[in-house]
Amino acid sequence: MSLAVTAQIVDDSSKLVYSAKTTEIIYEYDVKNNFPKERHPDTTLYKLENFMFSDKTEHYYQDLGNNGTAVFPIFYPLQEGIGKTPGYMAYDPYMNMPDDIKYYDTKSPFMEVEVVFGGNYRSTVDFTYARSADENWSFGFDIHKITSGKQIGFTSIDDRNVQANVFNLYTRYKHDEHPYQALVSVSNMNHNVSEVGGINVSTNATNADLFLYQESSVLLSDAKANDSRFNVHLYHEYAWQKQLQFYHQIDFGKQENSYNDDITSTNLDYYGPALIDETETSQKSEFKELINEIGIKGELASLFYRAYVKRRTFDFSYLYWDPVSKSAENYIGGYSRFTWRDRFNIEANAEYLQTGEYKLIGKLNSELIFGSYTSVRAKAPIFYERYFGNHHEWNSSMRATFSNEIKGGVKVKTKFFSLRPTARIATMNNLIYLDQEKMPQQSGAVGVVTSLGGDFNLKINTNKELGEAIHFENEFYYNTTSGGASSNMRVPPVFYNGRLFWRGAWFKKTMQVEIGVDLHAKSSYYAMDYSPALQHYYLQDDFLIDGYYTADVFCNMKVSNVRVFVKMMHVNQQNNDGYFVTPYYPGEPRLFELGVNWMFYD
């Protein structure tokens, strides 16, 4: 009770004045790079209706038509890590890593609760609690939960497609009079998926057969996949002088992937011949790593610098095979940033691995132009080199992948519209992928992905005094693939996101409102297929994903600290019709969604 009293803010009328403005959010990236930026909890209505992963990520990922399922990046982003990785990446975005953790500096206990009730037994729960024990020390925890009923092959109310949980525990210490600061986080993810394998239809199936949704027959009924991850992280620094500071960080991470299913007469053709057990398919892998990083940093006028050395040890094993003994990697790296009057800044980032792999990143940002250049040479993931399971096996060595990306554009902004034309060219050398037979391959040619487009946003005032306006936001890209490896890269030629909405207030400005429609469209392309047993996407040439568009109507409302949204997904769906996001996995049908977000500051 005494801690709560000492942290309170009281105005002249002795009323507590807690709000989002008294609750600050700190990211480790800002602390590590001396990049102070004022952040507070988001209390706006903007995109409140986007609760699904696909909506939050602007549909940049292909999934299996349901929230929480395995994903694959559509635009082939460059690899972030240059060292050895396990290669199981289908659930990477669902895990909260140290850079994702929000540390809170609160003047009172802060709590945020968001609950979404979706159609077809889908729901999400996000809970955050944080408080400052005193003026120097704060702590908190997050709970994120995804529950998704099966959208195809549904049998009962308890028939779940996804049950996933992420838990984060974190604390921060900083003394205003002492130059020491520490951030500690613990994150745990447990992602359980009941795989369905897609719909089971004949080659001459009609639209009515393809889009039965919950009444569809599916290829798998009892298959279970799991991705479990655990991470402990410590970052601390000693700011001896502004020009010279010292920091150290350490990470321990663990990832386990498993898959289990009984082999029956109905799924035998789906899996293929058994190499180990003809009655059951069981697969498991385990990856552990320990990372130590020590560095110096400082500010010299408008220039910030950071240099470090890093040592990473890791170990990997399968259920039936231990292909990698405990290994170590040594890195050196650095980061620098030059800023001029908050109008122009240049960033440079470099990392080098003792075996020759590297990462170079340069960024330019100003009021008129922006751009970046990235070059990455990275080791091949373990999965693509060595694997032994009940239906697949391989053992080979692969060359390091080599990728370059140039991205840039201009920014034009007026009172009524903003324009950001953007171009991206990415080249992929030694591209690694799974072929049509679900076997790992490495292309000896170069693949090039080119994207031209950008953002165009329009605003039309309807009541300037009340701040009411109609907004029309658009994101469009025209994409092409070229080069000798272009046949191994699958990108939709046309990609579009749109949002048309009216923002204003009702009931004498006591209720803020946003009413509108979210739009998304892709053109036809041979999207990647998915192997549940391997937990990887692979190439296919038999199922053309037809071009489609979806329209989701929503209404977002806010009164005091409570925000509510109602949403109708895919309102443009016709009877006995739909669309596919992955071969044999239809996208979301017309569904009603309801969500509530409530923030407490005392």
Side-chain angles (χ1 to χ4, degrees):
M1 292 179 61
S2 62
L3 288 174
V5 172
T6 57
Q8 290 178 349
I9 297 178
V10 180
D11 63 11
D12 293 337
S13 61
S14 298
K15 291 179 60 178
L16 301 179
V17 289
Y18 308 131
S19 68
K21 294 182 179 180
T22 65
T23 305
E24 185 179 358
I25 297 173
I26 299 99
Y27 285 101
E28 183 181 304
Y29 176 88
D30 298 339
V31 176
K32 189 174 182 178
N33 295 303
N34 291 22
F35 189 68
K37 187 172 182 179
E38 186 174 346
R39 291 187 176 90
H40 302 281
D42 183 8
T43 61
T44 69
L45 292 175
Y46 187 66
K47 295 186 177 181
L48 177 67
E49 75 280 4
N50 291 347
F51 78 96
M52 291 180 54
F53 175 81
S54 58
D55 295 328
K56 290 182 177 181
T57 55
E58 307 294 343
H59 302 276
Y60 281 17
Y61 287 86
Q62 177 186 348
D63 62 16
L64 304 182
N66 204 358
N67 194 31
T69 52
V71 299
F72 182 81
I74 289 177
F75 293 104
Y76 288 85
L78 270 59
Q79 192 169 324
E80 292 186 3
I82 60 177
K84 216 65 176 175
T85 63
Y88 286 89
M89 301 174 288
Y91 300 101
D92 278 2
Y94 298 108
M95 174 63 174
N96 289 138
M97 297 305 290
D99 285 344
D100 304 318
I101 301 296
K102 296 179 180 178
Y103 296 89
Y104 290 85
D105 182 6
T106 68
K107 302 301 184 291
S108 63
F110 169 73
M111 185 167 66
E112 180 177 6
V113 181
E114 181 172 296
V115 181
V116 177
F117 303 96
N120 288 355
Y121 306 102
R122 298 174 308 142
S123 65
T124 63
V125 177
D126 296 286
F127 178 84
T128 295
Y129 177 84
R131 68 167 301 157
S132 295
D134 55 37
E135 60 183 6
N136 304 320
W137 177 41
S138 61
F139 63 91
F141 65 90
D142 305 325
I143 299 174
H144 307 286
K145 183 177 179 64
I146 297 175
T147 303
S148 298
K150 289 183 179 178
Q151 303 300 291
I152 55 176
F154 180 81
T155 58
S156 67
I157 190 173
D158 296 322
D159 198 8
R160 305 300 189 196
N161 188 188
V162 178
Q163 289 184 302
N165 300 277
V166 176
F167 176 76
N168 306 312
L169 178 66
Y170 44 85
T171 184
R172 173 175 176 259
Y173 176 84
K174 184 180 185 301
H175 200 291
D176 291 337
E177 298 179 0
H178 301 300
Y180 179 77
Q181 182 172 188
L183 298 92
V184 180
S185 67
V186 179
S187 298
N188 184 78
M189 181 182 84
N190 190 22
H191 209 98
N192 295 289
V193 180
S194 294
E195 298 286 4
V196 297
I199 59 174
N200 185 10
V201 295
S202 61
T203 55
N204 58 351
T206 64
N207 261 19
D209 299 322
L210 294 174
F211 300 110
L212 295 174
Y213 288 99
Q214 290 190 336
E215 298 178 3
S216 297
S217 173
V218 293
L219 293 166
L220 302 176
S221 58
D222 296 311
K224 306 294 183 184
N226 174 264
D227 190 320
S228 298
R229 309 191 186 197
F230 180 75
N231 181 270
V232 180
H233 175 79
L234 163 67
Y235 171 87
H236 54 147
E237 65 178 32
Y238 183 81
W240 181 49
Q241 298 289 336
K242 182 178 180 181
Q243 298 80 6
L244 182 59
Q245 304 167 14
F246 307 91
Y247 77 89
H248 167 247
Q249 74 177 48
I250 185 170
D251 284 88
F252 171 76
K254 181 180 179 181
Q255 178 182 359
E256 291 184 355
N257 290 79
S258 64
Y259 182 83
N260 295 278
D261 193 14
D262 292 330
I263 299 178
T264 65
S265 58
T266 58
N267 63 26
L268 183 60
D269 291 339
Y270 181 84
Y271 286 121
L275 303 177
I276 304 171
D277 191 334
E278 294 183 350
T279 62
E280 179 185 10
T281 288
S282 182
Q283 179 58 47
K284 183 178 180 180
S285 66
E286 182 180 83
F287 179 81
K288 297 179 180 180
E289 66 176 353
L290 179 66
I291 305 174
N292 254 303
E293 179 178 320
I294 299 175
I296 60 173
K297 62 177 184 172
E299 297 178 55
L300 305 172
S302 299
L303 177 68
F304 170 81
Y305 74 91
R306 178 168 59 84
Y308 62 89
V309 294
K310 180 168 65 176
R311 182 173 175 83
R312 176 174 178 256
T313 59
F314 63 89
D315 195 10
F316 179 85
S317 63
Y318 287 115
L319 177 62
Y320 302 109
W321 188 25
D322 189 0
V324 177
S325 58
K326 190 173 183 180
S327 305
E329 298 174 338
N330 297 308
Y331 301 75
I332 60 171
Y335 168 84
S336 64
R337 179 183 67 250
F338 175 78
T339 305
W340 182 71
R341 297 185 179 179
D342 296 328
R343 297 181 180 179
F344 176 88
N345 70 75
I346 300 175
E347 295 180 74
N349 195 352
E351 187 171 76
Y352 179 78
L353 182 55
Q354 66 181 39
T355 50
E357 291 74 23
Y358 69 88
K359 175 171 62 178
L360 296 173
I361 302 175
K363 295 181 181 180
L364 166 68
N365 189 40
S366 70
E367 293 181 338
L368 179 61
I369 63 173
F370 62 93
S372 65
Y373 170 73
T374 304
S375 180
V376 178
R377 177 183 171 87
K379 290 183 177 180
I382 299 172
F383 169 84
Y384 291 96
E385 290 190 312
R386 293 170 178 83
Y387 179 84
F388 183 50
N390 200 34
H391 305 283
H392 300 87
E393 65 170 328
W394 53 79
N395 184 14
S396 62
S397 296
M398 292 191 172
R399 302 180 301 276
T401 61
F402 177 54
S403 306
N404 290 277
E405 179 192 73
I406 299 176
K407 184 178 181 179
V410 298
K411 295 182 285 188
V412 179
K413 187 174 182 179
T414 70
K415 186 176 182 181
F416 300 106
F417 74 89
S418 63
L419 182 66
R420 283 171 55 99
T422 305
R424 174 184 183 253
I425 300 176
T427 63
M428 311 284 179
N429 294 57
N430 300 334
L431 178 70
I432 298 174
Y433 58 94
L434 291 185
D435 64 13
Q436 290 82 348
E437 303 302 321
K438 306 177 188 176
M439 293 295 291
Q441 302 292 342
Q442 185 165 41
S443 175
V446 179
V448 182
V449 178
T450 303
S451 301
L452 300 174
D455 302 336
F456 175 76
N457 303 326
L458 180 67
K459 176 182 177 182
I460 303 174
N461 290 326
T462 58
N463 189 319
K464 189 174 181 179
E465 181 180 353
L466 296 179
E468 298 172 353
I470 296 174
H471 301 258
F472 189 28
E473 300 177 347
N474 301 273
E475 180 188 38
F476 172 86
Y477 287 103
Y478 177 71
N479 311 291
T480 61
T481 59
S482 59
S486 60
S487 61
N488 304 321
M489 308 174 75
R490 305 298 168 85
V491 182
V494 175
F495 179 93
Y496 172 78
N497 285 321
R499 196 168 190 261
L500 175 63
F501 64 98
W502 173 81
R503 177 184 294 159
W506 290 343
F507 306 112
K508 297 182 180 180
K509 300 175 66 174
T510 58
M511 176 185 288
Q512 299 178 31
V513 180
E514 277 190 6
I515 300 176
V517 57
D518 290 319
L519 304 169
H520 174 65
K522 289 189 184 78
S523 57
S524 301
Y525 76 117
Y526 285 95
M528 304 288 281
D529 204 345
Y530 184 69
S531 169
L534 295 176
Q535 297 185 22
H536 276 76
Y537 281 81
Y538 64 95
L539 292 176
Q540 61 85 28
D541 299 316
D542 301 321
F543 195 114
L544 178 67
I545 301 293
D546 292 328
Y548 65 89
Y549 82 94
T550 59
D552 305 336
V553 175
F554 65 88
C555 178
N556 301 336
M557 298 161 284
K558 177 184 176 182
V559 176
S560 186
N561 294 328
V562 180
R563 296 178 292 169
V564 179
F565 77 82
V566 292
K567 178 180 180 180
M568 182 65 73
M569 295 183 59
H570 200 184
V571 296
N572 58 307
Q573 182 183 22
Q574 304 298 312
N575 292 332
N576 299 322
D577 201 2
Y579 65 97
F580 284 90
V581 291
T582 293
Y584 301 102
Y585 290 90
E588 297 284 357
R590 184 188 299 118
L591 294 171
F592 178 77
E593 324 281 358
L594 170 66
V596 179
N597 178 285
W598 199 341
M599 294 185 183
F600 302 85
Y601 300 100
D602 53 20

